Amino acid sequence: MKIKISNCNNIDNAEINIIPNKINIEYGMNGTGKSTMATAIINFDNSEELLKLKPFGKEVIPSINSDEIVKPVLFKSYFVNN
């Protein structure tokens, strides 16, 4: 399934593919938007929480579009390290 993310924190536009019933892992350097993508997907149906991802200093509205609702599991480094 394709998920399109726009105007969320440092992400202007992104399109990711998620394969159902598989582990989907996103790798990248710190600050590239991995947690932002997961947060946007988690809040797919919560416009109030999605608005918290509005980029600083821009008059745009964060959005996420997908043909299905996905609830990802997000492991941050402090959780994994402990």
Side-chain angles (χ1 to χ4, degrees):
M1 93 186 59
K2 282 189 181 178
I3 298 176
K4 295 180 182 181
I5 300 171
S6 300
N7 305 315
C8 292
N9 285 343
N10 64 330
I11 299 173
D12 290 331
N13 291 297
E15 185 174 299
I16 60 173
N17 291 309
I18 295 185
I19 302 168
N21 302 316
K22 301 283 183 187
I23 296 175
N24 292 265
I25 300 173
E26 296 295 326
Y27 292 100
M29 294 177 59
N30 290 346
T32 57
K34 301 177 302 292
S35 294
T36 295
M37 286 191 293
T39 302
I41 294 168
I42 289 169
N43 293 300
F44 178 86
D45 54 352
N46 186 340
S47 59
E48 187 175 310
E49 287 296 314
L50 198 57
L51 278 175
K52 292 179 182 178
L53 297 176
K54 182 178 176 265
F56 180 76
K58 292 187 179 179
E59 295 301 320
V60 293
I61 297 173
S63 67
I64 180 167
N65 297 304
S66 176
D67 52 353
E68 295 180 42
I69 295 175
V70 178
K71 293 293 181 184
V73 176
L74 177 62
F75 293 100
K76 295 209 176 201
S77 60
Y78 64 85
F79 176 80
V80 174
N81 292 335
N82 291 323

